[in-house]
Amino acid sequence: MRERLEQLKAEALEHLKSVADAKQLDELRVKYQGKKGKLTEILRGMGGLSAEERPVIGQLANDVRDAIDSAIGAHNERFEREETERRLASETIDVTLPGRKLPRGAVHPLTRVVEEIEQIFIGMGYRIAEGPEVETDYHNFEALNLPKDHPARDMQDSFYITEELLMRTQTSPVQVRTMEAMSGEVPVKVICPGKVYRRDDDDATHSFQFNQIEGLVIGKNIRMSDLKGTLLHFMQELFGSDTQIRMRPSFFPFTEPSAEVDVTYKKKGATEPGWLEVLGCGMVHPRVLEMSGYDPEQYSGFAFGIGVERIAMLKYGVDDIRHFYNNDERFLEQFARQ
């Protein structure tokens, strides 16, 4: 059996010298080391050996197996190296070629308008305040002088999660939370940007979700003239120095007196500018001040609410609010060029 093992080793190593590819290498491995290979066939005869010969022949068989394994491994590494070199040669990338130009992106028009409005008010000394989009009924309505049976709630029908939780209908709850956090301290001077939700039917000018920026100022001797001056400066910064505003009496439960604000706007093809409503505002209702910890005998304030989509539609000449949400690249790519 010793001679047969030595002969098998010599035969296998000689055949391995002439192997040409990985397929032939695998065939030789099976031929010599497979379950039905020559080495296995020889080792089946070890049962007839004496107890003294078995360990000697067993060690020799292991040496033969290791020698064949080593030779197969060396050839396998060579074939893998040659395959890698072949692929590198055939799949070479010419890095000197000009790259493909990626399409230029842009800030979304609504984000752009929000950032521009924020910068204008930051320049006037305001800070930005934020709050949750899922609000309590108290912060969204009751603390704003809208008790549960108030008919004005119908104008802001929302998506209720429970009887006491809803998707906020305005960013006014952030004003309430800001006043609560300030604990009666002044001055308060914030703007509150964010998404709001109402059960509106989607059309060219309405959406169930839209963006708002509300502002709040509280201090001593805050007057309606301060509100008007603030909004005039804001509109002129946003639309140009020749922009004018007018205020018309209106009603909001959380402000008294209240007003709608119109801005001069020149329609396409018109010879003279007209007026377009852009926001609501007013002096903070004494009841709202009192519920949030401020003495209305000592302090007064004003508040305003701006619809971001309406401002964006005016600024960019967009005729349908749905364009902002349809993700149509033909619409959005216009803003990459501006």
Side-chain angles (χ1 to χ4, degrees):
M1 185 172 288
R2 182 190 298 272
E3 291 77 11
R4 291 178 64 190
L5 286 171
E6 293 289 356
Q7 183 180 357
L8 177 67
K9 175 182 175 182
E11 177 187 322
L13 295 178
E14 185 63 29
H15 284 168
L16 285 168
K17 290 180 181 178
S18 60
V19 69
D21 53 39
K23 183 179 179 181
Q24 289 184 8
L25 182 65
D26 191 59
E27 290 174 351
L28 285 176
R29 180 189 63 78
V30 172
K31 178 179 179 180
Y32 288 102
Q33 294 186 317
K35 290 182 178 180
K36 297 181 180 180
K38 291 188 174 183
L39 181 60
T40 303
E41 184 181 344
I42 293 174
L43 294 178
R44 286 194 183 112
M46 288 187 66
L49 297 176
S50 64
E52 293 79 10
E53 289 181 308
R54 284 178 187 171
V56 176
I57 298 300
Q59 182 60 47
L60 178 59
N62 288 334
D63 292 342
V64 170
R65 183 182 290 107
D66 290 344
I68 296 174
D69 280 341
S70 178
I72 290 174
H75 284 289
N76 193 51
E77 289 180 7
R78 176 169 65 87
F79 291 141
E80 288 180 353
R81 184 172 60 253
E82 290 174 352
E83 174 63 17
T84 300
E85 292 173 354
R86 184 192 65 77
R87 291 184 62 185
L88 288 174
S90 62
E91 300 175 9
T92 299
I93 299 174
D94 186 352
V95 295
T96 64
L97 290 173
R100 295 183 180 90
K101 188 175 181 180
L102 295 174
R104 182 182 178 186
V107 175
H108 193 279
L110 293 181
T111 303
R112 180 180 295 184
V113 169
V114 169
E115 291 176 349
E116 186 175 356
I117 293 173
E118 287 177 345
Q119 289 305 310
I120 293 172
F121 280 103
I122 288 172
M124 290 192 280
Y126 287 69
R127 66 180 178 88
I128 297 172
E130 296 181 332
E133 293 180 19
V134 178
E135 261 296 359
T136 64
D137 185 271
Y138 174 80
H139 287 94
N140 194 82
F141 288 127
E142 293 179 49
L144 292 165
N145 204 30
L146 281 161
K148 291 185 182 297
D149 58 350
H150 200 293
R153 285 195 180 205
D154 293 343
M155 297 186 296
Q156 295 188 12
D157 193 13
S158 182
F159 302 94
Y160 277 82
I161 298 170
T162 69
E163 289 187 1
E164 296 299 326
L165 288 177
L166 68 154
M167 304 301 292
R168 67 184 181 189
T169 62
Q170 53 202 352
T171 55
S172 301
V174 184
Q175 298 181 18
V176 175
R177 291 179 178 276
T178 299
M179 288 188 285
E180 290 176 344
M182 293 289 288
S183 301
E185 296 294 321
V186 292
V188 176
K189 202 173 183 182
V190 297
I191 58 169
C192 315
K195 294 186 181 70
V196 298
Y197 306 84
R198 296 182 188 176
R199 292 178 61 185
D200 283 336
D201 293 329
D202 286 4
D203 58 29
T205 58
H206 296 86
S207 174
F208 69 91
Q209 171 198 294
F210 56 98
N211 292 270
Q212 247 189 5
I213 295 182
E214 297 199 10
L216 174 69
V217 173
I218 299 175
K220 290 189 174 183
N221 302 316
I222 301 298
R223 301 181 296 269
M224 196 78 171
S225 57
D226 298 316
L227 170 59
K228 185 175 182 179
T230 297
L231 295 178
L232 177 60
H233 175 75
F234 163 63
M235 290 299 176
Q236 289 181 342
E237 287 289 309
L238 194 64
F239 294 117
S241 58
D242 58 344
T243 302
Q244 296 298 316
I245 66 171
R246 72 179 182 187
M247 303 175 74
R248 294 178 289 103
S250 186
F251 167 76
F252 301 109
F254 31 82
T255 53
E256 181 61 38
S258 304
E260 300 282 0
V261 177
D262 302 332
V263 64
T264 51
Y265 175 67
K266 190 173 183 180
K267 293 183 179 180
K268 187 175 181 180
T271 56
E272 295 294 331
W275 294 98
L276 187 67
E277 178 190 325
V278 291
L279 60 90
C281 64
M283 301 301 292
V284 180
H285 197 289
R287 176 64 177 153
V288 173
L289 288 172
E290 189 175 21
M291 291 181 70
S292 295
Y294 286 86
D295 183 354
E297 297 295 326
Q298 294 189 53
Y299 303 112
S300 58
F302 64 74
F304 55 86
I306 305 161
V308 174
E309 283 80 353
R310 178 164 292 190
I311 296 296
M313 292 172 77
L314 286 174
K315 193 170 180 64
Y316 299 122
V318 177
D319 59 1
D320 194 322
I321 193 174
R322 290 169 291 193
H323 290 321
F324 294 122
Y325 300 107
N326 287 339
N327 295 325
D328 190 330
E329 289 188 5
R330 295 170 299 176
F331 171 76
L332 295 174
E333 69 182 3
Q334 300 174 77
F335 300 93
R337 297 194 294 267
Q338 295 183 11

